Amino acid sequence: MNWIETHEAGFRLGLFVLVLVIMLVAEWQWPKRQLTRTRRERWRGNIALTAFNTLTLRLLAPLSAVGVASLVDKSGWGLLNQLSLPLWATVVLTLIVMDLAIWYQHKLFHELPWLWRLHLVHHADMDIDVTTGARFHTVEIWLSMAIKCALVALLGAPVLGVILFETVLSSMAMFNHSNVRLPLRLDDWLRRIVVTPDMHRVHHSTRFHECNANYGFNLSCWDRWFNTYVAQPRKGHQGMRIGLNEVAQANDASRIIGMLRLPLRWRILQRAYQHDKER
């Protein structure tokens, strides 16, 4: 067992705080867009929802993805445990396969109405910044964890690979949701490999074609290979509208109670489903 596995909690928390601080400073120094709501108004709800989700998972979830990986390692279950591969190879395969799975999961949450009603909580944020990266409905968080646990068991993913994947996923979510202005050349170079803030911002557009594109959180190749890549918003990053046209009330978009009950708002759901988005 290596140092990362032994100090998993400290390793993940330390990198989370480090990336969060870096992105907060970058947003303050080099903002891409002027926010339509105050940080205090939005952050209060986004951070409260994130804390609530983390608490429920810690207290109520029987196993985390890392816990399943540990169980799989001891029992010898899963595909990778049937192959004679070095640890580095199984870690790399885990990072790639799980990233593709998260990409496809994200796509399904847009295509299936019963999943979209949960995922629209993420898209109801009328601005996008580092806190948006962790703003998800509690039920979606639970479903996502269940999917990851099942994938880890089927794949036979090593503990180290799962820890690194979870760490990279949370870090990249903060990075590509951040309201940071990257130099165009740097953005162009980075998005050949990973999802940049400008690339993912397109996904939060109110336009149908743009919202249903750029599903990736980490590797950018999946959207290119599966024809869901949109390079830039039609109206530009300053002119594009972010969020859902149907959700404009602070109670629904910025407060935890409103966000948690949003999937039950039938009239909003009927209007906010994909086919009624701005085209």
Side-chain angles (χ1 to χ4, degrees):
M1 183 175 291
N2 60 36
W3 185 90
I4 293 178
E5 294 180 34
T6 306
H7 301 85
E8 177 214 346
F11 173 75
R12 291 178 60 181
L13 179 61
L15 277 181
F16 174 85
V17 172
L18 176 63
V19 174
L20 176 62
V21 171
I22 290 174
M23 299 320 302
L24 286 174
V25 172
E27 286 185 335
W28 175 55
Q29 290 290 332
W30 306 286
K32 180 72 176 187
R33 287 167 50 97
Q34 182 176 355
L35 301 179
T36 62
R37 295 286 180 94
T38 65
R39 287 185 176 89
R40 179 179 179 181
E41 181 180 17
R42 291 179 51 258
W43 286 7
R44 181 172 52 190
N46 288 359
I47 294 173
L49 182 59
T50 301
F52 178 74
N53 290 341
T54 302
L55 182 62
T56 59
L57 277 178
R58 290 288 182 180
L59 294 180
L60 302 177
L63 282 175
S64 65
V66 176
V68 172
S70 179
L71 181 63
V72 164
D73 179 62
K74 295 175 182 176
S75 63
W77 296 342
L79 176 62
L80 293 179
N81 283 318
Q82 312 310 313
L83 305 175
S84 298
L85 297 175
L87 178 61
W88 70 264
T90 60
V91 168
V92 171
L93 285 172
T94 295
L95 294 175
I96 294 174
V97 172
M98 292 191 70
D99 194 64
L100 173 58
I102 291 296
W103 176 89
Y104 186 64
Q105 173 191 315
H106 191 183
K107 190 171 185 290
L108 284 181
F109 269 81
H110 277 252
E111 294 180 343
L112 300 180
W114 67 279
L115 292 175
W116 169 248
R117 72 175 56 175
L118 297 172
H119 189 59
L120 64 80
V121 172
H122 180 64
H123 282 266
D125 202 346
M126 288 179 285
D127 289 303
I128 179 173
D129 65 15
V130 65
T131 66
T132 311
R135 171 195 163 117
F136 293 94
H137 194 277
T138 307
V139 177
E140 179 175 356
I141 290 292
W142 276 73
L143 283 175
S144 180
M145 179 57 71
I147 292 170
K148 283 189 287 188
C149 287
L151 179 61
V152 168
L154 290 172
L155 188 60
V159 175
L160 177 61
V162 177
I163 293 174
L164 292 178
F165 173 77
E166 293 280 56
T167 304
V168 169
L169 182 64
S170 63
S171 299
M172 287 301 297
M174 288 188 286
F175 169 68
N176 56 46
H177 282 87
S178 63
N179 184 37
V180 172
R181 183 181 72 253
L182 293 180
L184 294 180
R185 288 186 179 181
L186 177 59
D187 177 86
D188 181 64
W189 183 83
L190 282 176
R191 70 166 61 195
R192 297 177 187 180
I193 306 170
V194 298
V195 178
T196 65
D198 276 10
M199 178 177 168
H200 190 73
R201 191 177 298 108
V202 176
H203 179 72
H204 283 260
S205 169
T206 57
R207 296 189 66 237
F208 173 81
H209 177 64
E210 294 171 355
C211 179
N212 291 279
N214 298 4
Y215 295 108
F217 275 89
N218 184 22
L219 297 176
S220 62
C221 59
W222 310 125
D223 286 299
R224 299 178 191 274
W225 291 353
F226 295 108
N227 199 32
T228 55
Y229 175 65
V230 174
Q232 300 293 339
R234 187 181 67 176
K235 295 182 179 180
H237 287 279
Q238 301 304 324
M240 69 180 291
R241 296 182 62 188
I242 287 175
L244 296 174
N245 291 326
E246 300 77 14
V247 182
Q249 299 295 323
N251 287 343
D252 296 324
S254 302
R255 298 178 184 175
I256 184 171
I257 298 300
M259 288 187 277
L260 288 174
R261 71 179 182 179
L262 194 55
L264 303 177
R265 303 287 297 277
W266 292 102
R267 292 184 179 179
I268 289 178
L269 290 170
Q270 291 171 351
R271 296 195 306 269
Y273 188 55
Q274 295 165 323
H275 301 295
D276 292 328
K277 288 181 179 294
E278 178 185 346
R279 296 175 184 270

